[in-house]
Amino acid sequence: MPDTVFILNGPNLNLLGTREPHIYGTATLADIEGDCRSLASRLGLAIVFRQSNHEGDLVDWLHEAHAEGARAVLLNAGAYTHTSIALHDAIKSISVPVIEVHLSDPDTREPFRHLSYVGMAAADCVKGLGRRSYLVALERAAAL
Ligand code: DQA
């Protein structure tokens, strides 16, 4: 699946729309998926769009993206960004480029969000643009 981009979303992102809207906006994850599907079809890309609250699912899906020969992974790992050596290792274990994505800009928030284990392994990062972060990241994935 060389023209497929996996878009993987971690914990609590299923609650977008009502979750701290002053930080994350009012778009739901389904709205963001719709944005991504529209742009992907214009770019000639297929997307696999998933969300899980469980760290191991995200690890398994990174392996799957690699096994399927995906073009890239967009990963918003939510809070696992700041805690997960397992995700860091998974990103380093695969040859598919991973673009870290965040709605907010963790660097301007609480100090515990300033460390990104995902970012230490990822090829690129788009953050702080709200739902548009996903679209900018998808455009970068298309250009790879
Ligand atoms: C987030 C930022 C993380 O710090 C936070 O834990 C999230 C969402 C974002 O998209 O801005 O769950 O990844």
Side-chain angles (χ1 to χ4, degrees):
M1 292 203 287
D3 287 325
T4 300
V5 175
F6 279 57
I7 303 177
L8 305 180
N9 296 279
N12 303 304
L13 294 167
N14 55 312
L15 297 181
L16 286 178
T18 55
R19 175 193 178 196
E20 299 185 277
H22 56 291
I23 297 173
Y24 299 116
T26 53
T28 64
L29 196 61
D31 293 332
I32 292 172
E33 179 175 358
D35 290 350
C36 290
R37 290 203 179 280
S38 302
L39 178 60
S41 78
R42 288 203 295 280
L43 294 170
L45 293 171
I47 61 171
V48 171
F49 194 100
R50 295 183 187 155
Q51 186 275 333
S52 176
N53 294 322
H54 305 281
E55 188 176 13
D57 287 341
L58 298 168
V59 171
D60 287 343
W61 293 341
L62 286 163
H63 296 177
E64 184 184 331
H66 173 74
E68 297 287 345
R71 176 189 289 245
V73 175
L74 272 48
L75 175 62
N76 184 348
Y80 291 138
T81 302
H82 316 298
T83 63
S84 179
I85 297 169
L87 284 176
H88 174 95
D89 284 350
I91 294 165
K92 293 193 85 157
S93 301
I94 63 175
S95 54
V96 182
V98 174
I99 303 178
E100 178 184 13
V101 176
H102 299 286
L103 296 150
S104 66
D105 181 354
D107 289 336
T108 64
R109 299 179 60 195
E110 306 95 318
F112 62 81
R113 294 183 202 277
H114 296 182
L115 180 70
S116 172
Y117 288 107
V118 166
M120 286 179 218
D124 201 353
C125 178
V126 182
K127 61 190 176 184
L129 305 177
R131 67 198 283 185
R132 215 164 64 76
S133 291
Y134 285 78
L135 300 181
V136 172
L138 195 51
E139 277 168 354
R140 288 193 195 169
L144 287 172

